[in-house]
Amino acid sequence: MLNINKSADGSTLNVALEGRLDTSTSPQLEEELKGSLDGVTSLVFDLEKLEYISSAGLRVLLSAQKIMNQQGSMKILHVNDVINEIFEVTGFSDILTIE
């Protein structure tokens, strides 16, 4: 189960994820982002309440990063130890901006 809380502030889109980002919930996030990134120059993910991310979830973050490379920036906030370890092991900590 994944809860996605989006809030826009001008050209900044904040996306807070809660629960599990895996093969069953990744398409949900992909859909949410697809219609939301037009005119966005700053995309901010808040992962404070994310419990788990799978390779499918990582792919969604990577494709969001590629889009934002073209039109602005993307950063990830409040990464917990479990998620951070997954980012480290997969090399995503080198690709993504994690604060």
Side-chain angles (χ1 to χ4, degrees):
M1 163 114 178
L2 180 70
N3 288 323
I4 303 169
N5 297 308
K6 289 192 305 188
S7 64
D9 178 11
S11 59
T12 298
L13 178 65
N14 295 294
V15 181
L17 302 178
E18 183 180 347
R20 296 172 64 85
L21 184 55
D22 53 27
T23 41
S24 60
T25 59
S26 291
Q28 184 189 345
L29 179 59
E30 213 163 13
E31 274 305 303
E32 287 281 342
L33 290 175
K34 197 176 287 179
S36 304
L37 294 181
D38 288 346
V40 170
T41 56
S42 174
L43 176 60
V44 180
F45 282 100
D46 184 335
L47 303 187
E48 187 177 8
K49 295 180 178 166
L50 192 67
E51 295 157 17
Y52 174 79
I53 188 167
S54 73
S55 57
L58 290 171
R59 272 199 300 276
V60 177
L61 291 183
L62 187 59
S63 66
Q65 180 69 67
K66 284 181 178 160
I67 292 167
M68 293 314 297
N69 284 346
Q70 306 295 316
Q71 62 191 57
S73 66
M74 174 175 131
K75 64 183 172 184
I76 298 179
L77 307 179
H78 307 131
V79 178
N80 65 38
D81 292 345
V82 174
I83 305 297
N84 199 43
E85 191 172 335
I86 295 169
F87 284 160
E88 294 277 327
V89 168
T90 56
F92 269 69
S93 49
D94 299 330
I95 302 168
L96 304 171
T97 305
I98 301 167
E99 292 181 1

